[in-house]
Amino acid sequence: MLEEVPILKKEIEEKLSLITDSKGLEAFRLEYLVKKGKVQVLFDRMKEAPKDQKPILGKELNILRKFVENAFAELKEKFESAEAVQPTIDLTLPGRTSSIGSAHPVYQTMDQMINIFTEMGFSIAEGPDVEDDAHNFDALNFPPDHPARDMQDTFFIKNGENLLLRTHTSPVQIRVMQGMKPPIRSIMPGRVYRNESINARSLAEFHQIEGLYIDKNVSFAELKATMMVFAKKMYGENSKFRFRPSFFPFTEPSAEMDITCFLCGGKGCRVCKQSGWLEIVGCGMVHPNVLRNGGIDPSVYSGYAFGFGIERVSLLKTGVDDIRLLYENDTRFLNQF
Ligand code: PHE
């Protein structure tokens, strides 16, 4: 039996040299190191050995067991550390960059406009998108039979309940006047809604920036100067613009300002309806009835108001010729701005 020990040791050494991974090592453990493994079996058979051989046999077997256990532990550690590092990092792969979003072109334009007006001393106010008839129309001096109240233009929330989606940001003028004393210098950005067919020039949901300036002795010349300073800051010193007389129930006198059409440079095209000009803002001196409805005495105070369509301003700035492109959410389009 004593001669079996070196034979088993040789067998074990050969097996060890063939192990390449932890799977092979596990098979080795099951063959030699468990209770019914080949090493233990020799221990169990020790009782068959002649008495005088037993001490030396015991010693040799113990040496063999230590050898197997050490070899097993060494390989185990080697495989574990190799397998832990290997699959997690491949330094040859290109890095993953996190993609950063950016502001929508309409909001970029809105931010630019807000910056220009806040530099001039205007503060920002906001009102609700769902308005009542009183703020959206009545208080703004719309006669009861004004065509803008027609179902075709206004989205009513519920028939007979006087709630609607505001058709312009002008109702915020009333809320601002009711909430503070003159002097007032406010701009009011926000979303507005109109029951209109959608085409290259108009949308059913878009954005406006309202402006309101109220103090003693405010003149139309100040309104005009403010609009001109804005246009130059927004479109450059050499931009061309013009004022036209217009009508709004809530301002008197009223005007509109046009900028040279970006697409045709003023020659006339489909975007500017062949006129060479694009309207970007409606404005005028606040009507005395509106001041009164806002709780301000028109015999003491006067003021001007204006309302920009932000999408229009944005188209002029970016050179995009179809307003619908702004809201298709095609990132190839949006990434250009
Ligand atoms: N509310 C008007 C519109 O939506 C614009 C406007 C605002 C005109 C303020 C005059 C004064 O067309």
Side-chain angles (χ1 to χ4, degrees), residues 232-272:
K232 284 189 175 166
K233 286 208 172 175
M234 195 73 194
Y235 297 109
E237 279 297 319
N238 298 325
S239 58
K240 283 206 185 111
F241 37 83
R242 68 173 187 188
F243 281 83
R244 277 181 297 109
S246 186
F247 173 80
F248 301 100
F250 36 94
T251 47
E252 182 60 37
S254 305
E256 280 169 312
M257 185 171 75
D258 300 338
I259 302 265
T260 313
C261 176
F262 64 90
L263 201 63
C264 60
K267 286 193 209 82
C269 67
R270 88 187 159 96
V271 172
C272 59

Side-chain angles (χ1 to χ4, degrees), residues 140 142 167-171 173 192 194 206 208-212 223 246-251 253-256 279 281-286 304-309:
L140 289 166
F142 277 80
T167 57
H168 50 179
T169 42
S170 301
Q173 283 188 39
V192 302
R194 286 186 199 173
F206 55 102
Q208 290 187 332
I209 289 189
E210 193 82 9
L212 182 66
L223 166 60
S246 186
F247 173 80
F248 301 100
F250 36 94
T251 47
S254 305
E256 280 169 312
E279 176 214 325
V281 63
C283 56
M285 303 307 288
V286 182
Y304 63 73
F306 55 84
F308 284 90

Side-chain angles (χ1 to χ4, degrees), residues 25-34 36-38 72:
L25 187 62
E26 177 62 6
F28 174 83
R29 187 182 72 84
L30 293 173
E31 191 171 357
Y32 298 100
L33 276 174
V34 291
K36 293 206 167 113
K38 286 184 179 167
F72 173 80

Side-chain angles (χ1 to χ4, degrees), residues 205-224:
E205 181 185 334
F206 55 102
H207 296 77
Q208 290 187 332
I209 289 189
E210 193 82 9
L212 182 66
Y213 190 108
I214 295 175
D215 205 344
K216 289 176 179 155
N217 304 317
V218 177
S219 71
F220 195 90
E222 284 170 81
L223 166 60
K224 198 172 170 188

